[in-house]
Amino acid sequence: MLVLKFGGTSVGSVENMTHVKNIINDGTKKVVVLSAMSGTTNALVEISEQIRLNEKESALILIQQLASSYQITIEQLLNDSVLIKESQEYVNNVFTNLIELVGSEHTTLIYNQIVAQGELLSTFLFSRFLKQEGINAALLPALDFMRIDNNDEPDSFYIKQNLDRILNENSEADIYITQGFICLDVQGNVSNLQRGGSDYTASIVGAAIEADEVQIWTDIDGFHNNDPRFVENTTAISNISFDEAAELAYFGAKILHPQTVIPVKDLNIPVRLKNTMSPDSYGTLITHHVHGEGIKAIAAKDGIYAIKIKSARMLQAHGFLKKVFEIFEKYETSIDMITTSEIAVSLTIDNPLHLDAIVEELEKIASVDVDQGMSIVCLVGNNIIYHEDTPHLFQVLQDVPVRMISYGGSNNNISLLINTDQKLNTLQKLQGYVFESQQEKAVAY
Ligand code: ADP
Ligand code: ASP
Ligand code: MG
């Protein structure tokens, strides 16, 4: 069986929902994971924020605006009066509950309950639409099987057991629809897999049912060789390995939630990226196979903090790095990049939650400088550190102040730490150098 996940744009309009219907209605049984309609999760986050700030008036206005947009969607999507009535009741109930939260004390649970509504709405409406179109689909509530554990990791045993049971109970259905993103936590409260988490839901479900393939249907024709939001003339990559995709997703390639490949990689379940608006385009196939040599793709991740830890005591002293790492471990803060010299070590983190406490402890053993507003630019490709073109990279980057370089940590990755205000320039320069023709290169440099 296949698992197909459709993102926000793919379910963001009646026209696109019709594309989705046509893609999934091919007579084979499948699980379909849906995101919220595009814009909805952002709107819900904003509603939650206004409730947190106790800005009742603006929270109510935002709720009202979102509610009206769903009434319009119902009018455009459905023409069967019973299905319209059922959908209106569902939508009214969702928004009445949101209104009741205005004025209440804001907690993480309230936030989680609010942002969960997007996927609940999209799947409800889409399942009604399929019913109207005579398609035999069952709506499986993700909260009946999707659960994370104490470490916020998917509880694979629980998920598999419950999903198998629910699929069996609904064996007469041709298509199973479920919500991406949302799950329960160990206490049984509504939680989620973080922003963009519907991709992760799809691969968790794919692993649980040992799917033949997990397909991520989105608004672009596959994994591009650079970030199309910032760089022109990027192109789709036909084949990429699990490790390459994981690294690029971790370092900012928004097309995939960073954890997407983890559940399926060991089971060798391929992940295919496809464009809902252009289903005939090949897209990208992610497998164990490694194709090509040299730089394959570039991604960038913002919000990075660089920490320089400097101590004369580092000179010929063993055990210094151990002490440094123990402090990060104590605060459960992972380090992305690291470079060392004889008297200093520089490293980066992307989670500043415990930064003050970390700095306070580090200052007991060293002097510490923190730079924020940094970005990591990550270059990925098979054997890039040995590729003949790679040394020229430094020529390209001569105008860019690079704060740190990680080269040789693996054969397949080079990371650069730069100021975020240099990101656009760096990505564009690299695009010109790495991917455009020799002739264009000659003109550009
Ligand atoms: P969905 O709502 O379908 O999950 P996302 O917005 O999360 O879609 O991801 C798709 C978007 O990711 C694309 O429209 C594109 O702007 C962005 N993106 C960033 N980096 C890449 C990349 N390397 N390849 C393709 N798309 C990328
Ligand atoms: N709707 C959620 C978000 O916008 C999850 C997703 O789209 O993958 O983050
Ligand atoms: Mg996404």
Side-chain angles (χ1 to χ4, degrees), residues 5-10 35 196 199 216-220 222-229 252-256 298-299:
K5 174 259 170 174
F6 293 88
T9 313
S10 306
S35 290
D199 303 332
I216 308 287
W217 289 78
T218 181
D219 56 4
I220 190 164
F223 215 120
H224 277 222
N225 55 6
N226 204 334
D227 196 321
R229 293 169 298 177
K254 185 178 178 248
I255 186 162
L256 272 190
I298 302 169

Side-chain angles (χ1 to χ4, degrees), residues 357-371:
I358 289 171
V359 170
E360 197 177 307
E361 292 215 24
L362 287 171
E363 279 174 337
K364 292 179 191 155
I365 55 168
S367 71
V368 182
D369 289 321
V370 178
D371 290 327

Side-chain angles (χ1 to χ4, degrees), residues 277-291:
M277 279 57 76
S278 173
D280 294 333
S281 305
Y282 180 81
T284 298
L285 183 62
I286 308 174
T287 62
H288 270 301
H289 298 291
V290 177
H291 295 255

